[in-house]
Amino acid sequence: MGGRPNQFRGVKRYDYVNNMTTSPSAKPRHDLIYYIGRTVKIILPLAISAGLIIWLFHKINLHQISTIIKDGVDYRYIVAMMCITVLSHIIRGVRWGIQLRAVGIPRIPAVAESVSIFGAYALNLVFPFLGEAWRCVYITKREGCKLSTVVGTDLGDRASDGIMILMLLILTLFVARPAIDKFLDKYPLGEAIDRVSTDGMMWVWLVAAVVILIAADYLFRHTGFVKGINTSALRIWNGFKVLFHMKGTGLYIVLTFGIWICYFLETYVCFFAFPFTRELITGSNYVLGLIPGLVVFVFGSCSMAVPSNGGLGPWNIAVMFALSLFGISNTDGAAYSIVCWSFQAIVLVASGIFSVFYIMANHKSVKRQLAMRRAAQSQANEIKSN
């Protein structure tokens, strides 16, 4: 618009929120740090996935892999694995619904609970942990509740999975000790883990580090950084502790075992699809292939801690590595991991597409129900105040 020029252009302003003087043309430093952090979060998982896949291709014979995939796979078992994958996501959605109801969120249809998981896993293929953020936002908008409450249940959901992984690690150490010893003796990484874990000074330093962290948390408890960490820790605890006093704890535990049994079966059923893994099932020392299946499953589960796009790269190498402990070549192991991961990814993409159509089809009815619920709550509050 015409008129007089802006007489305040270029004049420094006082920011009452941050208690600092800024220039209109200057970008705050924290903006630069924010964008750098966001860029690293996007590039790092992609770089890890790409780097590991390139390394993987240098270790294997691509021609042999293509031959195995074309002629050596019984795809009936791959289809069974895909069905089990869908079932595990449905169970996870129903389990999360128990937690959501425990913190006061109304009962959600089982299909919507499943959709929250379908969409989350599909988005994790695009970017690590994006799906976790999406499913919290989806439930928050759908039910009109506080995001922090939903985030707490999500973190508690993942904490219970962490306990299951720890239990599986302990079980593996007992029932698959020869394979673990072979890993510790044969590979430099295993030797390093064995050396560090048996070093008494390492545990002394570990305890000292914990004490220092606790002291630092107390001394700097009023700073924004420490407050943020403590808030996140409190949300994790609040989301987890509800498991001990909520209605349906027993069912939650049963469903938790159901999820992880499905995850194991996804690995084990695929053993029947390849001739070289079928030999592990018929071998006399492997208890129908259950022990190799457990080792492969646990190695693959632990690899998911590495940030990557849906486990691509870290999961493939971990599975290939675990199979090599039982005499399976890198090429055969790579074929197994590529086929399993690819068809699981197809399931995730297909279920993600289903989620999009479901949300679009139910958008108006969900919005209407939320408006009616808010109106009823407002009326109840008005009656209570009078």
Side-chain angles (χ1 to χ4, degrees), residues 122-136:
L123 286 171
N124 282 340
L125 286 173
V126 179
F127 182 72
F129 311 118
L130 177 62
E132 302 304 317
W134 175 83
R135 72 164 170 157
C136 292

Side-chain angles (χ1 to χ4, degrees), residues 113 133 151 158 234 265 267 309 313 315 321 336 361 369 375:
E113 292 171 342
V151 169
R158 291 304 182 181
L234 183 61
L265 289 176
T267 298
N309 299 76
W315 187 85
F321 184 79
Y336 174 93
Q369 291 172 9

Side-chain angles (χ1 to χ4, degrees), residues 96 100 105 133-151 370 374:
W96 194 32
L100 293 173
I105 297 173
W134 175 83
R135 72 164 170 157
C136 292
V137 173
Y138 167 65
I139 295 297
T140 299
K141 289 186 175 181
R142 190 185 193 282
E143 300 302 317
C145 53
K146 291 183 178 180
L147 179 61
S148 59
T149 301
V150 181
V151 169
L370 181 59
R374 284 174 172 169

Side-chain angles (χ1 to χ4, degrees), residues 239-253:
F240 184 70
K241 74 177 183 180
V242 74
L243 302 177
F244 300 102
H245 57 75
M246 69 183 183
K247 184 178 180 181
T249 301
L251 178 59
Y252 185 94
I253 294 172

